[in-house]
Amino acid sequence: MKGAKIIGTGSYLPEKILTNFDLEKIVDTSDEWIRTRTGIEERHIVADDEAASSLVVNAARKAMEMASIKPQDIDTIICATISPDTPFPSTGCWVGTALGIEGVPAFDVSAACSGFLYGLIVADSLIKAGTAKRILVSGVEILTRITNWTDRTTCVLFGDGAGTVIMEESDDDSGILSSYWGADGSLGDLLIQPAGGSRMPPTHETVDKNLHTIYMKGNEVFKHAVRKMALAAEKVLVKANIKPEEIALFIPHQANIRIIDATIKRFGIPREKTMVTIDKIGNISSATIPISLDWAVREGRIKKGDLVLLDAFGGGFTWGATLMRW
Ligand code: UT7
């Protein structure tokens, strides 16, 4: 059975930047607190006329250019997001139409910050099974539209953006070597957008109480994130019989620099071999890994044959890791 590999990457960040100093004017916070507690310095924020699908389209065009393919060469569209254009149709469907691709399956994956890795694992399986040949996998979020701008414990963390990859069957030993994913809904209330679904439909009251925004018990989530990201990384390394020192580049989800540092410390992966983008983009949930991967590729930090480890944890709870040979 042939594996699946990435043949193109692309990312897009909205033009407008919101700095920590801007946030000092909105809530009772400081640049110093945000930088030392999270590692974030600034984040990008969408313009009024942008939606999740338009961010993906911008990123996808760059990925297609790198892969030297046209939209019509794509036969499946997977979009990981918790901030879709509309509850339905899926953002994947809107992306397909915007790219002029007709008739191919398109759907969204909802696994919060682990969403892109969930999408990658699904894409890998579809290609291995022969169900698809060339898949556009994206992670996209407009978290600033589901942020409570009066809650300093969350509004300083999130940003907007999209990252995409194109996957196809591998013709050599490159591609995904091993993956691991998991979820635990019993802890779902610790990181949640409470209203807007069938459990708590929108009412004037839910809007007034800011229940359509992200609620997070940060320090609880932090502990689980460190544990589960370590577990997921260990599982994929053991499965592929690879030692941490063989990893050329580690690309973790960018939620907090202290979570990243705790994870690499456990594995003895040095900071130089770790992609850190949180200072410039903040936490963009499912988009942080594909954006960081695209930056790494374009900065020449990944070369043919390199082992690359992706690792994420997010709301659900969900977690996952993927090890690939570039
Ligand atoms: O992306 C998917 C998963 N998400 C994560 O993995 C996020 C995990 N959690 C975190 O990254 C961290 O928990 C946070 C960055 C969210 C918070 O950092 P913390 O070190 O856990 O802070 P804390 O919530 O324990 O709060 C410490 C103090 C509190 O004050 P008191 O009670 O000690 O007086 C907070 O009120 O910091 C205060 N605080 C702030 N102060 C200034 C919380 N937010 C802010 C703020 N500015 N923005």
Side-chain angles (χ1 to χ4, degrees):
M1 202 177 357
K2 293 257 178 151
K5 67 170 178 185
I6 291 171
I7 59 163
T9 64
S11 59
Y12 173 80
L13 293 169
E15 221 175 283
K16 189 173 166 194
I17 290 173
L18 191 72
T19 66
N20 292 347
F21 299 104
D22 295 328
L23 283 162
E24 284 180 357
K25 293 174 200 139
I26 301 173
V27 284
D28 178 18
T29 190
S30 67
D31 170 61
E32 212 256 331
W33 191 95
I34 304 170
R35 259 188 306 106
T36 53
R37 302 309 292 170
T38 71
I40 301 168
E41 289 172 16
E42 58 189 38
R43 68 289 288 143
H44 290 248
I45 180 163
V46 283
D48 289 348
D49 61 350
E50 288 180 304
S53 63
S54 60
L55 270 50
V56 171
V57 167
N58 286 327
R61 291 203 196 283
K62 295 180 195 166
M64 288 188 287
E65 194 185 337
M66 186 188 286
S68 301
I69 63 158
K70 299 185 294 298
Q72 287 68 29
D73 298 324
I74 290 164
D75 67 10
T76 307
I77 298 170
I78 302 176
C79 245
T81 188
I82 51 160
S83 44
D85 280 31
T86 45
F88 76 92
S90 71
T91 302
C93 288
W94 295 122
V95 167
T97 297
L99 288 173
I101 310 171
E102 270 173 29
V104 307
F107 59 96
D108 289 359
V109 168
S110 174
C113 307
S114 314
F116 176 74
L117 292 191
Y118 267 52
L120 214 58
I121 293 168
V122 171
D124 183 38
S125 310
L126 291 174
I127 289 171
K128 281 184 177 145
T131 310
K133 279 199 175 341
R134 200 170 290 119
I135 309 183
L136 178 72
V137 187
S138 307
V140 59
E141 305 294 355
I142 300 189
L143 296 182
T144 62
R145 293 223 175 108
I146 52 167
T147 292
N148 178 353
W149 292 103
T150 63
D151 175 11
R152 69 172 183 173
T153 70
T154 53
C155 77
V156 301
L157 305 173
F158 304 114
D160 305 332
T164 73
V165 301
I166 312 236
M167 295 197 74
E168 68 173 24
E169 190 181 76
S170 178
D171 47 11
D172 54 23
D173 67 348
S174 65
I176 292 181
L177 303 179
S178 62
S179 292
Y180 175 79
W181 54 350
D184 181 357
S186 71
L187 299 167
D189 286 338
L190 296 178
L191 177 46
I192 187 171
Q193 182 183 339
S198 56
R199 189 190 288 178
M200 197 189 289
T203 60
H204 288 291
E205 195 190 353
T206 61
V207 173
D208 291 344
K209 289 185 170 166
N210 266 319
L211 295 172
H212 295 269
T213 59
I214 302 169
Y215 166 86
M216 176 165 72
K217 193 114 184 59
N219 42 20
E220 287 292 316
V221 176
F222 189 107
K223 285 181 247 162
H224 290 281
V226 173
R227 259 183 245 137
K228 290 296 194 243
M229 282 178 69
L231 170 82
E234 191 179 346
K235 290 274 186 194
V236 292
L237 290 172
V238 168
K239 213 162 151 187
N241 198 20
I242 297 288
K243 295 189 190 65
E245 54 269 30
E246 294 177 73
I247 301 298
L249 192 65
F250 177 53
I251 309 183
H253 170 52
Q254 313 279 314
N256 190 315
I257 192 64
R258 292 182 292 133
I259 295 177
I260 295 173
D261 280 338
T263 310
I264 60 177
K265 197 170 159 207
R266 267 187 204 212
F267 288 94
I269 298 174
R271 261 278 192 107
E272 309 81 75
K273 287 184 171 184
T274 304
M275 218 36 212
V276 175
T277 55
I278 189 168
D279 51 335
K280 296 284 164 233
I281 65 174
N283 182 349
I284 320 182
S285 191
S286 71
T288 64
I289 288 182
I291 292 170
S292 305
L293 174 65
D294 180 52
W295 288 14
V297 170
R298 286 171 197 270
E299 287 166 13
R301 291 188 66 175
I302 306 177
K303 50 185 195 314
K304 178 88 184 141
D306 275 354
L307 287 170
V308 181
L309 175 61
L310 314 179
D311 195 5
F313 175 85
F317 290 149
T318 57
W319 54 89
T322 291
L323 177 70
M324 60 180 82
R325 190 181 299 284
W326 201 255

